Amino acid sequence: MSNSFLKRTRVNRVFYFFFIVVFTFLYSLNSWALGEPAYISDKAETGALGIVGKERTASIYVDAADFPGVIRAAKDLALDVQRVSAKLPALVQSPEELKGHAIIIGTLERSPLIRQLVELKKLDVAAIAGQWDAFHLEVIDNPLPNIERALVIVGADKRGAIYGIYDISEQIGVSPWYYWADVPPKHKEQIYVRAGTHKQSAPTVRYRGIFLNDEAPALTNWVKANHGDYNHEFYAKVFELLLRLKANYLWPAMWNNAFNDDDPKNQALADEYGIVMGTSHHEPMMRADKEWNRYGKGPWEYSINRENIFEFWRAGTQRAKPYESLYTLGMRGQEDAPMSEGENIELLELIVRDQRNILSEVFPHTPLEEIPQVWCLYKEVQAYYEKGMRVPDDITLLWSDDNWGNIRRLPTPQERNRKGGAGVYYHFDYVGGPRSYRWINSTPIAKIWEQMHLAYRYGATQIWITNVGDLKPMEFPTEFFLRMAWNPQQWPKERLQEFGRLWAEREFGPEYAADIEALITGYTRHNGRRKPELMEPETYSLLHYGEADRILEELQQLTAKAEYIYSKISADKRDAYYQLVLHPVLATATVSRLYIATGKNRLYANQGRNIADRYRQEAKELFRQDQALRERYHSINGGKWRHFMDQSHIGYTNWQNPEGDQLPVLYEYVPGDYAEMGIAVEGIAESWPSAVAGTWPHKGKHELLFDFYGKQTRELVMFNRGQHPFEFTATAEPWIKLSKASGPVQDQVAIAVTIDWDALPDGVAQGQIVFRGTGWQSARISVSANKPVAKLRETAKGYLEADGYIAIEAANFTTSKAVKGFAWQEIPLHGRTHSSISVYPIGDQVFSNPAKAPYVEYPITFFSSGEVDVQVLLAPSLPFVPGRGLRYAVAIGNEKPQIVDFLQGYKDGDAAWEESVKDGVRVGSSRHKIKHPGPTTLRLYAVDPGVTPQKLLINTGGLKPSYLGPEQSPFLQ
């Protein structure tokens, strides 16, 4: 980006910059606990309550009659205080035992002491009374005669109190990931709660949870090695993590497991902890899929086996009756396949009626509409709904993404009035087409934010659940997803980078927090461009725009920074740092470097370069490094996490993972016992000499193209096809400058070619570089240099056409026009290159007439005329509003805007969808006629909400194939 961008003023950017500055200033004196002001201090400030003071430690009170889960969490708080300070507070259950400073914990329902404080008007809990999962924290002076000061933690319900407890734990320095990622507690000699602490909080999304799925081999192997099976000992660790993350909902592992049947203690313990249990989208009525294999009678086909399946469901419902559950309704085929009966809507309606009859029978004293129920509209099930099937309004509609993080459907204004509301089933992990992705985190939080913000704004706030695969190594996106579910407004798009920094600061301290955020964002963004399982040797172009080498440089910077921080942080943090930062950075880089090395090996072998074998060896070494990284992961902390990297991830040939990692096919080129000249021309796969290039007489055309405003240096590589060295010479017109015109060639010599523009008149100049090396041959490489006429150069401004294209990052507009409060705004960190833009606030507003729509404007200059293709690279969003695609409009100069529906003809699972999720973008295209060269403008207009452009490419005839497209064009003010 040119410096002129720094001088531009944009109303929306100025507003958000002001917002961030003010917000930061307000809390600049506090440390942060993931976005909230700290109420914990290690100093005895005036009026503070001493949890651990100089001379005493506060007691923790919870009534013996309160919920067992609250009592259990209170014990965790005592242990957390001990983890931080080495001092264990006393846990008491009689108010008479309290004196001095105390922590008083209780629920409104079961704590007489809390009710007493309310009656004495020492405590006002009106704001949380009756609120789902809400809690209240407050420091109160002299709450009772024998208590000088108390921190009171009140829950509107069982979970509310638990969340309040764990809020304290996190603030004093215990990460929610202290067990699951070995994050060490922050030691404090003293712990105080600041005077005036008063916090009330309740979630926006009612059910917030995760799905442990696709759990073999990694999680299953770990569970079997450490717990024997998916039993209550294992799940206790999952439940605690969820509560520390303020989650409340779980779909348990189910590939070859059955939560209730594997251990009868599982659901009872979940209920005690406060976790609402459900079953996955294809496991109705609290019965696991594998339970039918164990106990079912007859086929899993309701049309012919209704009685047996009905009784199977009834037994599952009866078993779950004592516990808090969310009942999945409907039916799919076994093992998550479509029903064999096909799209039989009448049959599915009968199934839902029968399931609700079961609920009425099992819960005779509870109104049916008060029993939590969900219908997951996953894959083909959504088609039932779109073709007219409906369920009673009290059933939550759980819309799904496409398994790749793009939400397929969201509630219409009418559907938002349904009593049961709506939710979203999301994915960080998937087994299926076009390829499974399970190995490592590949979902940037900016992508999560963009899609889940749509869900929030469209009222899908009853359930948010995400498939986290094995749980590890999805720690970072899992926490962001659940934090956003608790309070979406706390995390606007402008705070995404801040979330990462605060997360890193909580886990590793402030010194390297900004760098660690950049590392996490860097590797997840790279994986978001192309998931590792989808990588190919040809993914990043080896020929155009220096793309592969730019990726290598980016990865090198990430790995160097990650290794440096590892060498600097304290030893007690290294296990956590390796799991959460260093391993994913190194592993991501290693796999990408492996495929690029493979691509270079194949290209150079085909060209006949004697260095081809160097890249064959490099690829083999990188494959070995990948295996070594796996073993290193498995060795940390005494082998605690052995098996979590068991998932194969290299060598996919179809949607399913290979049985083990497979080194890609490599080419062996054996140089001859001679010397022979070869030349590789930038941007051309075929080297000289070749059948395409020709030898003598000179056939084909190896040419270097230069543009006055384009890339100023092109490269030729003089290489040796044999083993013996040779001498070369090169001559050219005076205006063609070579970095090297003669010398020896053992393996290869790179020659930079530049143009002396001052020596050229306006227009197109033609020349040649003549190389002589071995034998009698001479190689002639054509050079073409285009210098626009002076009049055009003098009037040029904005983004300049060069090398046959104009490339613009979507967020780098110079003018923005808002309409009715709607405006294009930047989503930082979103997308494959710079960022993205979309129209906010999100709503139902459609701008069918572009002339009255919000727009952004980009100044551009053409040096040619004729037809051009404007490609808009967009997030691969789906038509989440029924009956409508996703549209934008574009115009160049004074032409009438063209409306483009980049989802026109969209079909679930078609080839275009496969390409869009593999590439991480979808491309909209429009044709425009440029009558005259010169400066003009391009406008991008809003039409439908949810359209998210990332990059604009104007192809004037020279755009070359590449994965990310060329870097942004030069800009003149």
Side-chain angles (χ1 to χ4, degrees), residues 219-243:
L219 180 60
T220 294
N221 288 347
W222 181 84
V223 167
K224 289 185 178 300
N226 291 275
H227 298 285
D229 201 354
Y230 284 91
N231 54 35
H232 70 281
E233 293 180 355
F234 162 72
Y235 276 111
K237 300 182 184 304
V238 177
F239 300 154
E240 182 188 331
L241 173 68
L242 290 176
L243 293 171

PDB file of all heavy atoms in Angstrom, residues 219-243:
ATOM      1  N   LEU A 219      -8.239 -38.598  19.521  1.00  0.00           N
ATOM      2  CA  LEU A 219      -8.838 -38.524  20.848  1.00  0.00           C
ATOM      3  C   LEU A 219      -9.119 -39.911  21.405  1.00  0.00           C
ATOM      4  O   LEU A 219      -8.869 -40.176  22.595  1.00  0.00           O
ATOM      5  CB  LEU A 219     -10.127 -37.693  20.794  1.00  0.00           C
ATOM      6  CG  LEU A 219     -10.872 -37.525  22.120  1.00  0.00           C
ATOM      7  CD1 LEU A 219     -10.000 -36.834  23.166  1.00  0.00           C
ATOM      8  CD2 LEU A 219     -12.174 -36.754  21.915  1.00  0.00           C
ATOM      9  N   THR A 220      -9.622 -40.792  20.584  1.00  0.00           N
ATOM     10  CA  THR A 220      -9.947 -42.139  21.068  1.00  0.00           C
ATOM     11  C   THR A 220      -8.704 -42.857  21.568  1.00  0.00           C
ATOM     12  O   THR A 220      -8.724 -43.491  22.635  1.00  0.00           O
ATOM     13  CB  THR A 220     -10.628 -42.942  19.950  1.00  0.00           C
ATOM     14  OG1 THR A 220     -11.894 -42.349  19.664  1.00  0.00           O
ATOM     15  CG2 THR A 220     -10.835 -44.393  20.363  1.00  0.00           C
ATOM     16  N   ASN A 221      -7.607 -42.776  20.813  1.00  0.00           N
ATOM     17  CA  ASN A 221      -6.379 -43.434  21.266  1.00  0.00           C
ATOM     18  C   ASN A 221      -5.902 -42.844  22.587  1.00  0.00           C
ATOM     19  O   ASN A 221      -5.421 -43.568  23.468  1.00  0.00           O
ATOM     20  CB  ASN A 221      -5.284 -43.295  20.207  1.00  0.00           C
ATOM     21  CG  ASN A 221      -5.552 -44.162  18.994  1.00  0.00           C
ATOM     22  OD1 ASN A 221      -6.412 -45.036  19.016  1.00  0.00           O
ATOM     23  ND2 ASN A 221      -4.828 -43.916  17.915  1.00  0.00           N
ATOM     24  N   TRP A 222      -6.024 -41.515  22.730  1.00  0.00           N
ATOM     25  CA  TRP A 222      -5.612 -40.872  23.979  1.00  0.00           C
ATOM     26  C   TRP A 222      -6.515 -41.299  25.131  1.00  0.00           C
ATOM     27  O   TRP A 222      -6.040 -41.599  26.233  1.00  0.00           O
ATOM     28  CB  TRP A 222      -5.641 -39.349  23.810  1.00  0.00           C
ATOM     29  CG  TRP A 222      -5.201 -38.606  25.034  1.00  0.00           C
ATOM     30  CD1 TRP A 222      -3.923 -38.312  25.410  1.00  0.00           C
ATOM     31  CD2 TRP A 222      -6.043 -38.074  26.071  1.00  0.00           C
ATOM     32  NE1 TRP A 222      -3.914 -37.630  26.601  1.00  0.00           N
ATOM     33  CE2 TRP A 222      -5.196 -37.470  27.026  1.00  0.00           C
ATOM     34  CE3 TRP A 222      -7.424 -38.048  26.271  1.00  0.00           C
ATOM     35  CZ2 TRP A 222      -5.707 -36.851  28.173  1.00  0.00           C
ATOM     36  CZ3 TRP A 222      -7.926 -37.431  27.408  1.00  0.00           C
ATOM     37  CH2 TRP A 222      -7.070 -36.827  28.348  1.00  0.00           C
ATOM     38  N   VAL A 223      -7.830 -41.311  24.890  1.00  0.00           N
ATOM     39  CA  VAL A 223      -8.770 -41.703  25.943  1.00  0.00           C
ATOM     40  C   VAL A 223      -8.504 -43.132  26.391  1.00  0.00           C
ATOM     41  O   VAL A 223      -8.466 -43.427  27.588  1.00  0.00           O
ATOM     42  CB  VAL A 223     -10.227 -41.538  25.452  1.00  0.00           C
ATOM     43  CG1 VAL A 223     -11.197 -42.232  26.399  1.00  0.00           C
ATOM     44  CG2 VAL A 223     -10.585 -40.058  25.342  1.00  0.00           C
ATOM     45  N   LYS A 224      -8.320 -44.028  25.457  1.00  0.00           N
ATOM     46  CA  LYS A 224      -8.088 -45.426  25.821  1.00  0.00           C
ATOM     47  C   LYS A 224      -6.783 -45.585  26.603  1.00  0.00           C
ATOM     48  O   LYS A 224      -6.708 -46.389  27.539  1.00  0.00           O
ATOM     49  CB  LYS A 224      -8.079 -46.302  24.567  1.00  0.00           C
ATOM     50  CG  LYS A 224      -9.462 -46.452  23.936  1.00  0.00           C
ATOM     51  CD  LYS A 224      -9.448 -47.410  22.776  1.00  0.00           C
ATOM     52  CE  LYS A 224     -10.843 -47.587  22.185  1.00  0.00           C
ATOM     53  NZ  LYS A 224     -11.823 -48.117  23.146  1.00  0.00           N
ATOM     54  N   ALA A 225      -5.769 -44.802  26.237  1.00  0.00           N
ATOM     55  CA  ALA A 225      -4.488 -44.906  26.927  1.00  0.00           C
ATOM     56  C   ALA A 225      -4.547 -44.315  28.331  1.00  0.00           C
ATOM     57  O   ALA A 225      -3.836 -44.774  29.230  1.00  0.00           O
ATOM     58  CB  ALA A 225      -3.397 -44.214  26.113  1.00  0.00           C
ATOM     59  N   ASN A 226      -5.401 -43.306  28.541  1.00  0.00           N
ATOM     60  CA  ASN A 226      -5.404 -42.587  29.814  1.00  0.00           C
ATOM     61  C   ASN A 226      -6.607 -42.864  30.694  1.00  0.00           C
ATOM     62  O   ASN A 226      -6.538 -42.669  31.907  1.00  0.00           O
ATOM     63  CB  ASN A 226      -5.302 -41.084  29.542  1.00  0.00           C
ATOM     64  CG  ASN A 226      -3.953 -40.665  29.002  1.00  0.00           C
ATOM     65  OD1 ASN A 226      -3.022 -40.432  29.758  1.00  0.00           O
ATOM     66  ND2 ASN A 226      -3.838 -40.598  27.682  1.00  0.00           N
ATOM     67  N   HIS A 227      -7.734 -43.262  30.087  1.00  0.00           N
ATOM     68  CA  HIS A 227      -8.950 -43.487  30.871  1.00  0.00           C
ATOM     69  C   HIS A 227      -9.609 -44.824  30.604  1.00  0.00           C
ATOM     70  O   HIS A 227     -10.587 -45.165  31.287  1.00  0.00           O
ATOM     71  CB  HIS A 227      -9.958 -42.358  30.599  1.00  0.00           C
ATOM     72  CG  HIS A 227      -9.461 -41.003  31.005  1.00  0.00           C
ATOM     73  ND1 HIS A 227      -9.389 -40.597  32.317  1.00  0.00           N
ATOM     74  CD2 HIS A 227      -8.987 -39.969  30.264  1.00  0.00           C
ATOM     75  CE1 HIS A 227      -8.903 -39.368  32.376  1.00  0.00           C
ATOM     76  NE2 HIS A 227      -8.634 -38.973  31.148  1.00  0.00           N
ATOM     77  N   GLY A 228      -9.114 -45.553  29.641  1.00  0.00           N
ATOM     78  CA  GLY A 228      -9.699 -46.854  29.332  1.00  0.00           C
ATOM     79  C   GLY A 228     -10.863 -46.764  28.376  1.00  0.00           C
ATOM     80  O   GLY A 228     -11.017 -47.612  27.499  1.00  0.00           O
ATOM     81  N   ASP A 229     -11.711 -45.772  28.555  1.00  0.00           N
ATOM     82  CA  ASP A 229     -12.884 -45.608  27.700  1.00  0.00           C
ATOM     83  C   ASP A 229     -13.419 -44.188  27.886  1.00  0.00           C
ATOM     84  O   ASP A 229     -12.909 -43.429  28.722  1.00  0.00           O
ATOM     85  CB  ASP A 229     -13.958 -46.634  28.062  1.00  0.00           C
ATOM     86  CG  ASP A 229     -14.954 -46.870  26.931  1.00  0.00           C
ATOM     87  OD1 ASP A 229     -14.873 -46.162  25.908  1.00  0.00           O
ATOM     88  OD2 ASP A 229     -15.822 -47.756  27.071  1.00  0.00           O
ATOM     89  N   TYR A 230     -14.459 -43.868  27.133  1.00  0.00           N
ATOM     90  CA  TYR A 230     -15.110 -42.566  27.282  1.00  0.00           C
ATOM     91  C   TYR A 230     -16.019 -42.599  28.508  1.00  0.00           C
ATOM     92  O   TYR A 230     -17.244 -42.590  28.407  1.00  0.00           O
ATOM     93  CB  TYR A 230     -15.897 -42.230  26.015  1.00  0.00           C
ATOM     94  CG  TYR A 230     -15.030 -41.788  24.860  1.00  0.00           C
ATOM     95  CD1 TYR A 230     -14.537 -42.701  23.933  1.00  0.00           C
ATOM     96  CD2 TYR A 230     -14.693 -40.451  24.693  1.00  0.00           C
ATOM     97  CE1 TYR A 230     -13.747 -42.297  22.867  1.00  0.00           C
ATOM     98  CE2 TYR A 230     -13.896 -40.028  23.633  1.00  0.00           C
ATOM     99  CZ  TYR A 230     -13.426 -40.954  22.722  1.00  0.00           C
ATOM    100  OH  TYR A 230     -12.634 -40.553  21.672  1.00  0.00           O
ATOM    101  N   ASN A 231     -15.401 -42.594  29.669  1.00  0.00           N
ATOM    102  CA  ASN A 231     -16.136 -42.746  30.920  1.00  0.00           C
ATOM    103  C   ASN A 231     -16.237 -41.421  31.662  1.00  0.00           C
ATOM    104  O   ASN A 231     -15.785 -40.379  31.180  1.00  0.00           O
ATOM    105  CB  ASN A 231     -15.470 -43.811  31.792  1.00  0.00           C
ATOM    106  CG  ASN A 231     -13.985 -43.519  32.016  1.00  0.00           C
ATOM    107  OD1 ASN A 231     -13.577 -42.361  32.129  1.00  0.00           O
ATOM    108  ND2 ASN A 231     -13.171 -44.567  32.067  1.00  0.00           N
ATOM    109  N   HIS A 232     -16.817 -41.485  32.854  1.00  0.00           N
ATOM    110  CA  HIS A 232     -17.068 -40.247  33.595  1.00  0.00           C
ATOM    111  C   HIS A 232     -15.781 -39.565  34.038  1.00  0.00           C
ATOM    112  O   HIS A 232     -15.756 -38.342  34.215  1.00  0.00           O
ATOM    113  CB  HIS A 232     -17.976 -40.531  34.797  1.00  0.00           C
ATOM    114  CG  HIS A 232     -17.328 -41.323  35.891  1.00  0.00           C
ATOM    115  ND1 HIS A 232     -17.167 -42.690  35.834  1.00  0.00           N
ATOM    116  CD2 HIS A 232     -16.796 -40.924  37.075  1.00  0.00           C
ATOM    117  CE1 HIS A 232     -16.572 -43.099  36.932  1.00  0.00           C
ATOM    118  NE2 HIS A 232     -16.335 -42.053  37.700  1.00  0.00           N
ATOM    119  N   GLU A 233     -14.697 -40.328  34.193  1.00  0.00           N
ATOM    120  CA  GLU A 233     -13.428 -39.701  34.552  1.00  0.00           C
ATOM    121  C   GLU A 233     -12.935 -38.801  33.420  1.00  0.00           C
ATOM    122  O   GLU A 233     -12.422 -37.701  33.658  1.00  0.00           O
ATOM    123  CB  GLU A 233     -12.387 -40.768  34.877  1.00  0.00           C
ATOM    124  CG  GLU A 233     -12.696 -41.560  36.148  1.00  0.00           C
ATOM    125  CD  GLU A 233     -11.638 -42.611  36.426  1.00  0.00           C
ATOM    126  OE1 GLU A 233     -10.723 -42.773  35.577  1.00  0.00           O
ATOM    127  OE2 GLU A 233     -11.729 -43.276  37.469  1.00  0.00           O
ATOM    128  N   PHE A 234     -13.076 -39.282  32.194  1.00  0.00           N
ATOM    129  CA  PHE A 234     -12.714 -38.458  31.045  1.00  0.00           C
ATOM    130  C   PHE A 234     -13.647 -37.262  30.923  1.00  0.00           C
ATOM    131  O   PHE A 234     -13.206 -36.117  30.796  1.00  0.00           O
ATOM    132  CB  PHE A 234     -12.757 -39.282  29.760  1.00  0.00           C
ATOM    133  CG  PHE A 234     -12.831 -38.444  28.510  1.00  0.00           C
ATOM    134  CD1 PHE A 234     -11.734 -37.719  28.068  1.00  0.00           C
ATOM    135  CD2 PHE A 234     -14.024 -38.348  27.793  1.00  0.00           C
ATOM    136  CE1 PHE A 234     -11.815 -36.925  26.926  1.00  0.00           C
ATOM    137  CE2 PHE A 234     -14.110 -37.555  26.650  1.00  0.00           C
ATOM    138  CZ  PHE A 234     -13.000 -36.847  26.217  1.00  0.00           C
ATOM    139  N   TYR A 235     -14.937 -37.512  30.959  1.00  0.00           N
ATOM    140  CA  TYR A 235     -15.890 -36.427  30.718  1.00  0.00           C
ATOM    141  C   TYR A 235     -15.857 -35.365  31.810  1.00  0.00           C
ATOM    142  O   TYR A 235     -16.173 -34.196  31.552  1.00  0.00           O
ATOM    143  CB  TYR A 235     -17.292 -36.987  30.515  1.00  0.00           C
ATOM    144  CG  TYR A 235     -17.537 -37.418  29.091  1.00  0.00           C
ATOM    145  CD1 TYR A 235     -17.674 -38.762  28.764  1.00  0.00           C
ATOM    146  CD2 TYR A 235     -17.583 -36.481  28.067  1.00  0.00           C
ATOM    147  CE1 TYR A 235     -17.883 -39.165  27.452  1.00  0.00           C
ATOM    148  CE2 TYR A 235     -17.782 -36.866  26.750  1.00  0.00           C
ATOM    149  CZ  TYR A 235     -17.929 -38.202  26.444  1.00  0.00           C
ATOM    150  OH  TYR A 235     -18.126 -38.590  25.142  1.00  0.00           O
ATOM    151  N   ALA A 236     -15.473 -35.733  33.021  1.00  0.00           N
ATOM    152  CA  ALA A 236     -15.365 -34.726  34.081  1.00  0.00           C
ATOM    153  C   ALA A 236     -14.402 -33.617  33.663  1.00  0.00           C
ATOM    154  O   ALA A 236     -14.635 -32.428  33.944  1.00  0.00           O
ATOM    155  CB  ALA A 236     -14.902 -35.370  35.382  1.00  0.00           C
ATOM    156  N   LYS A 237     -13.331 -33.985  32.970  1.00  0.00           N
ATOM    157  CA  LYS A 237     -12.358 -32.990  32.520  1.00  0.00           C
ATOM    158  C   LYS A 237     -12.949 -32.111  31.412  1.00  0.00           C
ATOM    159  O   LYS A 237     -12.660 -30.912  31.336  1.00  0.00           O
ATOM    160  CB  LYS A 237     -11.089 -33.685  32.038  1.00  0.00           C
ATOM    161  CG  LYS A 237     -10.404 -34.528  33.113  1.00  0.00           C
ATOM    162  CD  LYS A 237      -9.128 -35.161  32.610  1.00  0.00           C
ATOM    163  CE  LYS A 237      -8.507 -36.070  33.661  1.00  0.00           C
ATOM    164  NZ  LYS A 237      -8.252 -35.391  34.956  1.00  0.00           N
ATOM    165  N   VAL A 238     -13.781 -32.717  30.569  1.00  0.00           N
ATOM    166  CA  VAL A 238     -14.439 -31.943  29.511  1.00  0.00           C
ATOM    167  C   VAL A 238     -15.476 -31.006  30.117  1.00  0.00           C
ATOM    168  O   VAL A 238     -15.567 -29.830  29.756  1.00  0.00           O
ATOM    169  CB  VAL A 238     -15.093 -32.882  28.484  1.00  0.00           C
ATOM    170  CG1 VAL A 238     -15.848 -32.076  27.422  1.00  0.00           C
ATOM    171  CG2 VAL A 238     -14.047 -33.769  27.820  1.00  0.00           C
ATOM    172  N   PHE A 239     -16.270 -31.510  31.063  1.00  0.00           N
ATOM    173  CA  PHE A 239     -17.303 -30.687  31.696  1.00  0.00           C
ATOM    174  C   PHE A 239     -16.688 -29.454  32.362  1.00  0.00           C
ATOM    175  O   PHE A 239     -17.198 -28.337  32.237  1.00  0.00           O
ATOM    176  CB  PHE A 239     -18.069 -31.495  32.740  1.00  0.00           C
ATOM    177  CG  PHE A 239     -18.784 -32.704  32.216  1.00  0.00           C
ATOM    178  CD1 PHE A 239     -19.054 -33.782  33.057  1.00  0.00           C
ATOM    179  CD2 PHE A 239     -19.193 -32.787  30.898  1.00  0.00           C
ATOM    180  CE1 PHE A 239     -19.709 -34.902  32.591  1.00  0.00           C
ATOM    181  CE2 PHE A 239     -19.849 -33.913  30.419  1.00  0.00           C
ATOM    182  CZ  PHE A 239     -20.107 -34.975  31.273  1.00  0.00           C
ATOM    183  N   GLU A 240     -15.613 -29.678  33.096  1.00  0.00           N
ATOM    184  CA  GLU A 240     -14.989 -28.559  33.796  1.00  0.00           C
ATOM    185  C   GLU A 240     -14.488 -27.509  32.807  1.00  0.00           C
ATOM    186  O   GLU A 240     -14.675 -26.300  33.015  1.00  0.00           O
ATOM    187  CB  GLU A 240     -13.829 -29.044  34.669  1.00  0.00           C
ATOM    188  CG  GLU A 240     -13.179 -27.919  35.453  1.00  0.00           C
ATOM    189  CD  GLU A 240     -11.914 -28.334  36.177  1.00  0.00           C
ATOM    190  OE1 GLU A 240     -11.795 -29.526  36.556  1.00  0.00           O
ATOM    191  OE2 GLU A 240     -11.035 -27.470  36.367  1.00  0.00           O
ATOM    192  N   LEU A 241     -13.858 -27.961  31.733  1.00  0.00           N
ATOM    193  CA  LEU A 241     -13.393 -27.016  30.724  1.00  0.00           C
ATOM    194  C   LEU A 241     -14.555 -26.200  30.167  1.00  0.00           C
ATOM    195  O   LEU A 241     -14.462 -24.974  30.041  1.00  0.00           O
ATOM    196  CB  LEU A 241     -12.690 -27.759  29.586  1.00  0.00           C
ATOM    197  CG  LEU A 241     -12.305 -26.886  28.384  1.00  0.00           C
ATOM    198  CD1 LEU A 241     -11.215 -25.891  28.757  1.00  0.00           C
ATOM    199  CD2 LEU A 241     -11.876 -27.753  27.207  1.00  0.00           C
ATOM    200  N   LEU A 242     -15.637 -26.872  29.836  1.00  0.00           N
ATOM    201  CA  LEU A 242     -16.791 -26.166  29.279  1.00  0.00           C
ATOM    202  C   LEU A 242     -17.291 -25.094  30.243  1.00  0.00           C
ATOM    203  O   LEU A 242     -17.588 -23.966  29.838  1.00  0.00           O
ATOM    204  CB  LEU A 242     -17.910 -27.156  28.958  1.00  0.00           C
ATOM    205  CG  LEU A 242     -17.647 -28.096  27.772  1.00  0.00           C
ATOM    206  CD1 LEU A 242     -18.790 -29.082  27.625  1.00  0.00           C
ATOM    207  CD2 LEU A 242     -17.463 -27.309  26.484  1.00  0.00           C
ATOM    208  N   LEU A 243     -17.388 -25.438  31.508  1.00  0.00           N
ATOM    209  CA  LEU A 243     -17.883 -24.466  32.478  1.00  0.00           C
ATOM    210  C   LEU A 243     -16.924 -23.302  32.650  1.00  0.00           C
ATOM    211  O   LEU A 243     -17.344 -22.147  32.809  1.00  0.00           O
ATOM    212  CB  LEU A 243     -18.134 -25.155  33.817  1.00  0.00           C
ATOM    213  CG  LEU A 243     -19.277 -26.190  33.813  1.00  0.00           C
ATOM    214  CD1 LEU A 243     -19.296 -26.954  35.121  1.00  0.00           C
ATOM    215  CD2 LEU A 243     -20.618 -25.523  33.553  1.00  0.00           C
TER     216      LEU A 243
END
